[in-house]
Amino acid sequence: MEFTKELVDSLADKLLIGLTDEENKMVLDEFDVIDKDIDIINTIDGIESVKPMTHALDGVELTSLREDTPKETPDIDDLLSNATNKIGREIQVPKVVG
């Protein structure tokens, strides 16, 4: 797949994150780096015979994982009872960006 300005703009529009021309160029430059890295990986002898992993610990038997059973969630009012700055069911936090 070739990444073009039009493709990046189209994907950005679908994600509702319109990009400036400068941001679009930055994304295209990043994809160029990724493409070069993939080209390097593809030069490894026998790479086509390696099976894809579905988990970082494929082939390792894990016996210590907890059972995934649903539990009742705590009451929201109990959870918020110690919060000092709350608006309805949300906690107001200090602004840290911009």
Side-chain angles (χ1 to χ4, degrees):
M1 169 185 271
E2 185 172 335
F3 294 98
T4 63
K5 179 182 184 327
E6 293 76 23
L7 176 62
V8 172
D9 281 337
S10 172
L11 295 172
D13 288 343
K14 289 177 184 173
L15 294 170
L16 304 175
I17 56 166
L19 298 176
T20 65
D21 286 341
E22 183 179 315
E23 292 168 329
N24 188 300
K25 182 181 178 338
M26 183 180 71
V27 170
L28 287 172
D29 290 344
E30 287 294 323
F31 278 126
D32 188 44
V33 170
I34 293 169
D35 278 343
K36 288 178 182 173
D37 289 344
I38 290 172
D39 289 342
I40 291 169
I41 291 170
N42 285 332
T43 63
I44 298 171
D45 288 335
I47 192 74
E48 63 279 347
S49 64
V50 176
K51 290 183 180 179
M53 294 173 58
T54 59
H55 190 276
L57 299 176
D58 271 351
V60 175
E61 188 172 329
L62 300 173
T63 58
S64 62
L65 293 178
R66 66 173 171 77
E67 186 65 31
D68 192 16
T69 55
K71 296 181 179 178
E72 193 164 325
T73 57
D75 181 60
I76 187 73
D77 293 323
D78 288 342
L79 294 173
L80 293 174
S81 64
N82 291 327
T84 54
N85 295 334
K86 57 184 175 183
I87 301 171
R89 298 176 71 182
E90 298 176 355
I91 297 175
Q92 184 177 7
V93 296
K95 186 175 182 177
V96 294
V97 177

